[in-house]
Each structure stands twice: as C-alpha cells, then as structure tokens.
Amino acid sequence: MEIGELVGWGRSAAVYAIDGDRVLRRYRTPLNVRREAAVMAYVAAHGFPVPDVYPDVYPDAGGELSTDLVMRRLSGPTMLRALIDGEISAEEVGRVTAGLLRQLHAIPARVSGDPRDRVLHLDLHPDNVMLTPHGPYVIDWCNTQEGPPGLDCAMSAVIVGQVAVDEESPFTTVAREVLVALLDGLGDAMDFGDGLDQASARRGADQGLTAREVGFLDAAVSLIRELRTG
Ligand SMILES: Nc1ncnc2c1ncn2[C@@H]1O[C@H](COP(=O)(O)OP(=O)(O)OP(=O)(O)O)[C@@H](O)[C@H]1O
Ligand SMILES: [Mg+2]
C-alpha cells in the first residue's frame, strides 16, 4: 500500500490518502482500532453517517493494538472549518450536532445488555463532523463507548462550552451561539445533572487537553446549567 499526501491531522492522528477513495488514519500511539472499526461499521449498518471502514486493510497489522485504520475518503470541510469560513451559521452547527447525537442514540447498543445504554461517540463536536455532498458525516471514533446517551450530549456541550467561556478565544461568541442551539436541539436528551459532571470529569482526565483548557471546565459547566434555567 502506497501512502500518499497528508489530507488532515489532529491531536491524536494524521490522515493520509492511500488510493483514489480511501485514507489511512494513523494514530501517534497504538490503540484498539479494531474495536473502533467495529463500532463504525455497526452504526453505519444502522444508517448512521460514518465513513466506510476496511478492517482487513491494516498496514500495521498484528495483535489487538494498531496505529492504522483505513476508511473511505470523505470530501468537504469539517463543520468547524465551514463555520469559520462563514459557510454555515452557528445556529445550524448546533442544530446539526444535536441531530447527529439524537440519531446515534436512536440505535440500540451493540454489546451492552442494559436497554438504556447506547453507542456513545464522546467527542462529537464541530471539528469531528465533515460536511460532505451527501450530508454531515461523523469521524474520530477513538473515544467511543456504550452508556447513557445523556453523557454523550453533555460531553458535546462541555466541549463547545469550554470555548464559549474562553474570553480570549476569537470564537467565544460564536461558540456560545452554537451551545444555545445545541441545547435547544437536544431538549430532554441532555443530562444537566450527573451526566454533565461526569462529562466534565472525563474531559478533565483527557491527556490531550492543555492545562488552560482544563481550567475552563468548571465555568463551562456553570454556563451550561445557566443556559438551562436562563
Ligand atoms: N475519512 C476521511 N476522509 C477525509 N479526511 C478525513 C477523514 N478522516 C479524517 N479526515 C481529516 O483528518 C482530520 C483529522 O481527523 P481526526 O479528527 O480523525 O483526527 P484526530 O487526531 O483524532 O483529531 P483530534 O484532534 O480531534 O483528536 C480531520 O479534520 C479531516 O480533515
Ligand atoms: Mg478530530
């Protein structure tokens, strides 16, 4: 397999073209990508918009852990990029994010025996949604787990809320608008109680976050609770 140009990167992975319509997502450290691929294939089979995965094409095959996951190449900007470029409104970003969370949580869990549990993404924010000609697609499933859907909603709210309370960010106001629309779109699906505290704690334990970002968590949680009552 020939590795082509870099088509994207994030904190945990770099994404390379490998042939006309596929990409290789290469993590910086090995993970259980087979589980990630299995979850993506499962939600796709339930009609959820994720790129097709090719679990048998692992350049770095061997054992449970691998750095490599091959998937279909999507075209279009991430929803964050489109927002920055003025191609989509903050209100729409919040609405689309809420719709994707609701759609994901309508699917029965893959492995859990608890009927209340669902597949959770746990990192569903505007930079992990790509706006393709076929609609929004959700990428970056490395945090996926099963559990209460309100936790997933709370995680998305916390991630946006962290930007909304950062007065030095150029996106403070727009993030607040996204958050308002997200909470509006989520309605009763959002967990403003324990789920919100748990989401904040999980986010705080994320090694990928800077100390500055962790410092915004409490204010983000307060803002989210204010928006509920306000
Ligand atoms: N299937 C795909 N097709 C085309 N481009 C993709 C695809 N998957 C990812 N990308 C590009 O690579 C970038 C990084 O992908 P991804 O979010 O999966 O990486 P990450 O390192 O896990 O990100 P994070 O910083 O959120 O942890 C995306 O923003 C997108 O531009
Ligand atoms: Mg990402």
Side-chain angles (χ1 to χ4, degrees), residues 109-117 146:
R110 186 176 68 100
V111 287
S112 170
D114 186 330
R116 292 165 301 183
D117 283 353
E146 298 195 341

Side-chain angles (χ1 to χ4, degrees), residues 7-15 23 25 27-28 36 51-52 71-78 123 125 127-128 130 139-142:
V7 297
W9 66 92
R11 296 184 201 206
S12 55
V15 178
V23 293
R25 184 165 184 271
Y27 282 107
R28 293 184 174 68
E36 183 177 341
D52 293 336
M71 61 188 140
R72 183 173 294 279
R73 181 172 186 170
L74 303 173
S75 63
T78 70
D123 200 21
H125 58 72
D127 206 30
N128 282 336
M130 290 183 69
I139 58 169
D140 201 355
W141 288 77
C142 61

Side-chain angles (χ1 to χ4, degrees), residues 80-142:
L80 177 62
R81 184 76 252 163
L83 178 63
I84 292 168
D85 291 345
E87 289 164 7
I88 186 172
S89 69
E91 198 273 330
E92 180 77 354
V93 167
R95 204 179 58 77
V96 169
T97 308
L100 288 166
L101 284 161
R102 284 179 165 281
Q103 188 182 349
L104 178 62
H105 300 155
I107 301 170
R110 186 176 68 100
V111 287
S112 170
D114 186 330
R116 292 165 301 183
D117 283 353
R118 294 291 185 272
V119 174
L120 313 181
H121 183 283
L122 294 174
D123 200 21
L124 211 165
H125 58 72
D127 206 30
N128 282 336
V129 177
M130 290 183 69
L131 297 180
T132 81
H134 308 288
Y137 272 63
V138 178
I139 58 169
D140 201 355
W141 288 77
C142 61

Side-chain angles (χ1 to χ4, degrees), residues 32-218:
N32 189 344
V33 289
R34 281 180 193 278
R35 189 184 61 101
E36 183 177 341
V39 173
M40 290 173 76
Y42 174 79
V43 298
H46 283 81
F48 192 77
V50 290
D52 293 336
V53 283
Y54 303 92
D56 299 323
V57 189
Y58 287 109
D60 171 34
E64 276 272 282
L65 303 181
S66 168
T67 54
D68 294 349
L69 177 59
V70 172
M71 61 188 140
R72 183 173 294 279
R73 181 172 186 170
L74 303 173
S75 63
T78 70
M79 197 157 63
L80 177 62
R81 184 76 252 163
L83 178 63
I84 292 168
D85 291 345
E87 289 164 7
I88 186 172
S89 69
E91 198 273 330
E92 180 77 354
V93 167
R95 204 179 58 77
V96 169
T97 308
L100 288 166
L101 284 161
R102 284 179 165 281
Q103 188 182 349
L104 178 62
H105 300 155
I107 301 170
R110 186 176 68 100
V111 287
S112 170
D114 186 330
R116 292 165 301 183
D117 283 353
R118 294 291 185 272
V119 174
L120 313 181
H121 183 283
L122 294 174
D123 200 21
L124 211 165
H125 58 72
D127 206 30
N128 282 336
V129 177
M130 290 183 69
L131 297 180
T132 81
H134 308 288
Y137 272 63
V138 178
I139 58 169
D140 201 355
W141 288 77
C142 61
N143 287 354
T144 184
Q145 276 184 12
E146 298 195 341
L151 172 64
D152 211 5
C153 299
M155 187 61 94
S156 296
V158 166
I159 294 168
V160 177
Q162 280 178 289
V163 185
V165 298
D166 176 359
E167 299 291 345
E168 283 167 30
S169 163
F171 307 117
T172 319
T173 308
V174 83
R176 196 185 160 105
E177 288 168 12
V178 172
L179 182 59
V180 168
L182 172 65
L183 294 175
D184 190 44
L186 287 172
D188 289 348
M190 170 69 190
D191 182 347
F192 289 92
D194 283 356
L196 185 51
D197 292 325
Q198 276 178 38
S200 173
R202 276 172 178 261
R203 191 82 181 136
D206 185 334
Q207 300 293 316
L209 260 64
T210 63
R212 187 167 182 279
E213 287 171 312
V214 172
F216 291 126
L217 281 169
D218 287 349

